[in-house]
Amino acid sequence: MDKNFRGPILNGLPSQVPDTDPEETQEWIESLDALVEDGGRTRARYVMLSLIQRARENNLGVPSLTATDYINTIGPEAEPWFPGDEEIERRYRRWNRWNAAIMVHRAQRPGVEVGGHISTYASAATLYEVGLNHFFRGKDHPGGGDHIFYQGHASPGMYARALLEGRMTEDQLDGFRQQVSHHIDGKPSGLPSYPHPRQLPDFWEHPTVSMGLGPMNAIAQAQFDKYLLNRGIKDTSQQHTWAFLGDGEMDEPESRGMLQTAAYEELDNLTFVINANLQRLDGPVRGNGKIIQELEAYFRGAGWNVIKVVWGREWDALLSRDRDGALVNLMNVTNDGDYQTYKGESGGFVRDNFFGRDPRTKALVEDYSDDQIWNLKRGGHDYRKVYAAYKAAVEHTGQPTVILVKTVKGYSLGPHFEARNATHQMKKMTVDDLKLARDHFSIPISDKALEENPKLPPYYFPGEDAPEIRYLRERRAELGGFTPERRSKYVDIKLPDDKDFQIGLKGSGNQKIATTMAFVRILKDLMRDKEFGKRIVPIIPDEARTFGMDSFFPTAKIYNPHGQNYVSVDRDLFLAYKEASDGQLLHMGINEEGSTAALTAVGTSYATHGEPMIPFYIFYSMFGFQRSGDAFWAAGDQMARGFVLGATAGRTTLVAEGLQHGDGHSHVLSSTYPSIVSYDPAYAYEIAHIVRDGIHRMYDPADERKDPDVLYYITMYNEPMVQPPQPEGIDPQHIIKGLYRLRSGAESDGPKAQLLSSGVGVQWILEAQELLERDWGVSADVWSVTSWQELRRDGLACDDERLVNPEREPRVPFVTQQLADAKGPVIATSDYERGLPDMIRQYVPGHFTSLGADGYAISDTRPAARRHFLIDGPSVVVQTLISLGDLGEVDPSLAAQAAKKYQLDDPRAGATGSTEGAGA
């Protein structure tokens, strides 16, 4: 394509529209040329932008600019009055920078050496301080308080500020990254490395250091605040969400993955502040480009309001004298790699290599000294520029706002740190570095104090009565209290009655339904509860019909802040698609990561809003802990409570979908998450007991279990079967603990065996039980394992208790107790890899063998797939006979006879399970 081609959108010209009056067009062009000649480029540009603005006001449909000049969005003439005492705020901002750097430096002392990051907070201190002094509202604010997503690597700055606020001591700061080894008054009192709510639950509220998750979670938080408002649950109209992000972080796919959601839902309660220090962890973000310009175009295209803070006030005079636009042009064409180099050199270097590239710009600074040129600051270090941007952001309506702020990484820490490629990894300072920083910050600490123990330079605190300390604390009091702060006090809620779970306990009669549909019936009854039902938030990533949840559409409705402004194509159907501004369902589209972010916002509402809301996030089980695992980990860090429902689970139940949909390992993955409680139920009554138990564990004050801050992961299947009522004599607590005897084998003096399985696999061992008795005279007991993970955790807890207290009588694991008197070998199978049943191997008394669906999933029928993986009923029979043969309880040749009888080597001979609904 001709690179000079003027397309209709790219260059803003309607090339496909004929020119109906060429002479008039030429007159307009000549008028513009005259404006440039008489008034200069800057004046012409201003007039053109004003015309574009008026054109939009008149609905002329002028295409938006994707990027503007590399200057501040808000000009000096439009800056608001700065309401604070800038000199006082500058003084304690310097103290924060010093204490943050010293905390990391002291953490590198011999014998500790746990590291930390000095440079991120140094570059962002002004961004935080403007917010903390003038914008960020605390929990005691009448409007409810803001949500602040602090950048993870900047955590030393938040700890340093807490010292000045009186919330932390120097001794606590000395415990940075020493959570169990640093003791105060005999108790572990160290600080976590990053914003980890689970590890510092009264301080941090939102985890962010897994880069890319902060942006998504911030969008979901702002969306959820609007959801609470529109549903009438809480007035969140004054609450704002702020997310502090790095320019390098924006390369993470998750960082940009939900921008369209924020724009579509007009989340004007959301502001991103992107600290563009032009450096990621190893070097420049865009050495050959301009990250601020790139992000501006990206966010504008996504429908966001964009504010750029590029230059400090020292540049204003130069820009006002730039009549020809030479300086702006130079700013536009200079790459980030060069800007980084300039801040690593000197004023003279900048004069020669930046201003000296154009005689007009060179003349602009001919009266400037090298020190004056060096003092031309970036906008992110100017209180007034940042304040103007924040004020514009919170006053903007109808769009989310992103503020792109240019800073220097390692700012104010001296030449060894500022703008250096290695600055992110630098964790300690030399004596000379300390002296330079002290002088720059005007810290009243002597050379002697720094020299006598350079490994432990002192913190600085001016005393409780210092005017700066009083000012700092007064500002926070006026804004509603300290931040970050997390509270977990919430309103009392009435838990659902036992009758709400009866539909699951009584079974499905003669009707065949999958456990997914059984769960949906239970959830529907819970949502009908007049008091508890409104607190349920179903979250669905565009698969409601697959999971049988389309029945919720006409009644609960899908949340959309704009309502439904179209006539639905299926409006005449009983289960018509229905959106509403007060809808209960969060339907996130094809977006598992975004759905998990919503889960986090909803599941932490008990702490962020004092209003418990219970998320039920249902998804293709394959796309949970494999695809969204990092987000689930962050949800655990934030202490989310709720339910995670892996539908269409197992490696062979959705088997027609093939390799990328066959979940044979999600329970293995979920077992590595400390706050996930995993269950693989076989029947509706098991699901009913598990859901009830989860709700009570999370919100029943009488429940004495240690940790209510858990997510229950429940897998469900799409294979229809008759759901039996709960059998008599079953202890519901055994279902919760993970194992119960479902069906005993026939009374017999012959060989015995124990068959264990979970989920849909229980059907196979029931089949195996019949085959063993009928064909081989073996009596087998069938056990339903509702949770391999809970059985293992109980066993591990017993091991740990004994390890710490070997003199005590050891506690026996639950699974060991249950199987202690069971005779014969134990054979375990499931629709998962062998690694799942193998979790309990060490706690099973006697002979144990596992079968599993190891390997990639295949596309075929369920019976063929189960025979392929050797996990079906006949496979269990053959393995049982092998185990009995190894123990000398049957003739070893029986196993070979059985393998031949059932044609175990031929997938076409498989008959375990149905073919109904095997594909989505």
Side-chain angles (χ1 to χ4, degrees), residues 211-213 215-216 248-259 298 593:
M211 288 188 284
L213 297 189
M216 298 190 78
E249 178 180 7
M250 297 310 295
D251 282 346
E252 288 281 6
E254 294 89 347
S255 294
R256 307 188 190 192
M258 280 183 66
L259 300 186
Y298 200 96
E593 291 283 350

Side-chain angles (χ1 to χ4, degrees), residues 495-538:
L495 299 183
D497 296 326
D498 288 347
K499 64 179 177 59
D500 293 330
F501 299 95
Q502 287 303 309
I503 193 168
L505 301 182
K506 69 181 184 182
S508 63
N510 295 322
Q511 183 184 10
K512 288 185 177 182
I513 63 170
T515 49
T516 301
M517 182 55 68
F519 160 76
V520 170
R521 291 181 176 182
I522 294 169
L523 182 62
K524 186 180 292 185
D525 275 10
L526 284 174
M527 292 173 67
R528 287 172 177 157
D529 186 293
K530 289 184 179 179
E531 294 189 49
F532 184 78
K534 68 179 181 181
R535 298 195 175 274
I536 292 176
V537 183

Side-chain angles (χ1 to χ4, degrees), residues 50-84:
S50 298
L51 289 172
I52 290 172
Q53 178 65 29
R54 180 54 59 88
R56 288 178 185 153
E57 292 171 359
N58 289 325
N59 298 315
L60 296 186
V62 178
S64 297
L65 297 174
T66 56
T68 59
D69 284 331
Y70 197 61
I71 57 176
N72 296 342
T73 302
I74 302 171
E77 70 285 350
E79 288 177 13
W81 171 73
F82 180 74

Side-chain angles (χ1 to χ4, degrees), residues 545 564 566-573 576-577:
R545 298 185 192 280
Q564 182 167 309
Y566 61 92
V567 177
S568 177
V569 69
D570 61 358
R571 63 192 179 280
D572 294 330
L573 299 180
Y577 197 83

Side-chain angles (χ1 to χ4, degrees), residues 78-92:
E79 288 177 13
W81 171 73
F82 180 74
D85 187 321
E86 190 171 356
E87 187 53 40
I88 284 182
E89 294 181 24
R90 179 182 293 111
R91 284 201 292 272
Y92 65 74

